[in-house]
Amino acid sequence: MTDPTSPKVAVLCALDRRGVATLTLNRPEKGNRYNQAMLDTLVAETARLGVDPTVRAIVLRAGGKHFCVGAEIGDEQPRAKDAPRASIPGLCLAFDSLPKPTIALVHGACIGGGVALVSCCDIVIAARGAFFSLPEVRLGFAPGPLIPFFLRAMEARSLRRYLLSGERFAAEAAMRIGLVHELYDADDGDAALAALLDELLLAGPNAVTVAKGLLRRLGQPPVSKELLMELQHEFDQRRHSPEALEGVASFREKRKPRWAGPEHEQ
């Protein structure tokens, strides 16, 4: 397990005596923006915990003020064909496929890829003051490889609004559209999590694994690696379009993008 005293570790991992594994996003000074190191660690830990027979449940949470404010802008690096790297769609697929119960404990901001990862958890509990956003269109591109995961967690009609506008929506709205299952008051997150784990650990571990497998088989069609590769290819083609370059530039320069119109210019 991860040494929690090291400030350089992007993700902390701990396993308690009951078999509850906790993955804690550990870049609080960055709002837990995910970079390559965080993605690599999460993918590796997800694979390891998924096959560990002593693990009964997996909790995903974060340190600091925010759960996850999205991707580290500028962390994109060319992917060598002979050295595939972890990606947020790949991590989501791995998390979605875990045979163990997964719980996300969300507070503060949950944005972009953070919403996608939460969408892959079996149960989501959020602070009443938490908020969510899918802001990619405001940066000039659509989050194509992540949309299948959003659709599995949110009511599709509501997803249209938030995906097309990029606006923030509160935890109460997230609960109304299916993304969040339960809300907790400030400072009560650990108690809410403990109560939920007490309920989950009453279930037989093998029965849970079978039940999750049946849900994947009988519910919505599973997200395949082939589909993600196709969507990623389309995303890569559009990621450096003139519109996307302007969107990222406006984000970095903390201004409105040019397409917002003259009335929004600063």
Side-chain angles (χ1 to χ4, degrees), residues 51 66 75 82 104 124 150 173 223 237:
V51 297
H66 298 297
D75 188 53
D82 58 345
V124 180
F150 298 147
V223 181
Q237 288 183 316

Side-chain angles (χ1 to χ4, degrees), residues 94-130:
F95 225 79
D96 189 60
S97 304
L98 276 168
K100 324 279 185 175
T102 54
I103 306 167
L105 184 67
V106 179
H107 69 284
C110 184
I111 296 174
V115 180
L117 188 53
V118 164
S119 297
C120 297
C121 292
D122 298 316
I123 304 170
V124 180
I125 52 180
R128 292 188 184 278

